[in-house]
Amino acid sequence: RFQAPRPPGCADGRGSEAKHVGNFGGALTKNLLLKDKKHRLYIVSALADTKVDMKILSQRLGLGKGGVRMAPEENLRQVLQVPLGCVTPFALFNESASAVSLLLDQGLKSKQSCYFHPLTNDVTIALSSSNLDKFLLSIGKQPAYVDLEASPVVGKDNPPDLADLVPSGAFCSSEESVENPTPKDAPQVNVPKEKTCLPEVKAKPKVQNKGAESSESKVLTNNGPNVEIFASDVLEVIFPLFLSEASKKLNIKQEELTQILKLDDFKRRAAPDLESVTNMFKNMAYTAGFHAGFDTMLKSGLGGMPSRK
């Protein structure tokens, strides 16, 4: 068990890993996030040289020849909560990814250790399939190893051999409305309206009768992974306080001060920077939490740890 740092900002996982950790004797892996027509998600973790035919895999899942495709980047951020290039089985630790199905290449079992990203692609860790199984069992996931290169006949007398790995739930995201603008023959997904992929933001500011809003008049209610909403909430709290204090010291009405300073333009320029910084700290927190949890699991051997239901 060891960690091997990779050059920061490198998006090509396998190419860089082969260069920097290839001498350690572990097996390189590729991790794919797939999506079916009902917006159900699948992580396929395989050895780098394993051939994954998505048409065959789709048939084996009972989804037809074109039933699965690569999931969009938005699903990585909303469901797995990782940036592009960081698909990993460890992302299933997030509650938002609890319904994602995981298909493991049976070839992983034949290797002493395999390389994976721990929620960020600037670090690579190596662990055996048995330790990967321990991690998955600790979060309530039953490891499922399959021969990804097999091509069994699927038909009336031969049911799909991987149909049990199709998740029962479905995901929704704003990406769906853009990518598939209400086609007439779109499959209907029975998802209750009140259940969404991300927690709803319901901010109810309390405005004082007189004077500017106090810091208690707006509450940051977004505790989900949507960085844009979080940044917007922060700016909505900060700018009224700034206007209130500045208008008192300069003895200028807030409306006049808003026009002079062009705060709306400044807010639009500040939002991307705040989102970038927030994303950076979020990823740092995920990585630090993963390292702490993984070290704890290795030291304790996962003994007595309850599974997540």
Side-chain angles (χ1 to χ4, degrees):
R1 308 179 184 95
F2 58 88
Q3 297 177 351
R6 295 176 49 220
C10 181
D12 182 6
R14 295 195 298 276
S16 180
E17 284 177 326
K19 178 180 178 181
H20 294 279
V21 300
N23 296 328
F24 291 104
L28 300 179
T29 64
K30 56 184 176 185
N31 298 272
L32 311 174
L33 181 62
L34 306 181
K35 178 180 181 179
D36 66 21
K37 293 180 180 179
K38 292 187 176 181
H39 310 295
R40 295 171 296 203
L41 298 177
Y42 310 76
I43 290 179
V44 176
S45 294
L47 294 175
D49 56 357
T50 296
K51 296 180 181 179
V52 180
D53 188 317
M54 287 200 286
K55 289 184 179 180
I56 295 177
L57 179 60
S58 179
Q59 287 183 306
R60 296 177 65 187
L61 290 168
L63 305 174
K65 289 185 178 180
V68 293
R69 56 189 171 86
M70 298 298 293
E73 181 179 355
E74 182 169 332
N75 288 142
L76 272 72
R77 298 185 181 278
Q78 289 188 346
V79 181
L80 300 188
Q81 300 185 29
V82 297
L84 188 65
C86 299
V87 177
T88 169
F90 298 118
L92 299 178
F93 176 81
N94 294 310
E95 196 67 36
S96 57
S98 60
V100 177
S101 181
L102 176 63
L103 284 71
L104 297 168
D105 184 358
Q106 68 177 15
L108 298 175
K109 285 189 168 185
S110 64
K111 304 298 180 180
Q112 183 176 359
S113 62
C114 300
Y115 296 125
F116 297 95
H117 292 317
L119 306 182
T120 178
N121 63 358
D122 57 359
V123 174
T124 299
I125 66 170
L127 76 166
S128 64
S129 60
S130 60
N131 281 326
L132 177 61
D133 292 348
K134 291 179 181 179
F135 165 76
L136 294 173
L137 291 171
S138 74
I139 61 172
K141 284 283 186 181
Q142 186 67 34
Y145 291 88
V146 299
D147 183 358
L148 292 172
E149 293 186 334
S151 182
V153 176
V154 177
K156 182 177 180 180
D157 299 326
N158 299 285
D161 61 320
L162 302 182
D164 291 341
L165 298 180
V166 175
S168 57
F171 298 93
C172 58
S173 70
S174 58
E175 168 270 338
E176 294 167 13
S177 60
V178 176
E179 186 176 335
N180 299 308
T182 62
K184 294 182 180 180
D185 58 347
Q188 299 297 318
V189 183
N190 297 322
V191 180
K193 293 183 179 179
E194 66 273 14
K195 293 184 180 180
T196 57
C197 299
L198 298 175
E200 295 182 358
V201 178
K202 296 182 180 179
K204 296 183 179 179
K206 298 179 181 179
V207 182
Q208 297 178 356
N209 294 332
K210 294 183 180 181
E213 294 179 346
S214 66
S215 59
E216 292 80 15
S217 64
K218 285 191 176 183
V219 181
L220 297 180
T221 59
N222 177 53
N223 53 12
N226 196 317
V227 173
E228 292 182 3
I229 295 178
F230 173 79
S232 177
D233 286 346
V234 170
L235 294 176
E236 287 298 322
V237 171
I238 291 177
F239 277 95
L241 294 175
F242 170 76
L243 278 177
S244 176
E245 293 299 319
S247 63
K248 290 179 181 178
K249 292 186 178 181
L250 299 176
N251 195 22
I252 301 177
K253 293 182 178 180
Q254 292 190 28
E255 294 78 6
E256 296 178 4
L257 189 60
T258 300
Q259 296 178 355
I260 294 173
L261 298 178
K262 297 181 179 180
L263 288 183
D264 290 338
D265 292 338
F266 180 76
K267 188 185 299 185
R268 284 193 293 269
R269 294 195 300 269
D273 292 335
L274 180 57
E275 292 169 13
S276 177
V277 173
T278 303
N279 254 324
M280 179 185 69
F281 282 113
K282 185 182 77 169
N283 291 335
M284 289 172 60
Y286 283 154
T287 303
F290 171 81
H291 287 319
F294 193 71
D295 289 342
T296 300
M297 287 189 290
L298 291 180
K299 292 177 182 178
S300 64
L302 298 176
M305 293 184 65
S307 296
R308 187 186 65 189
K309 300 296 183 184

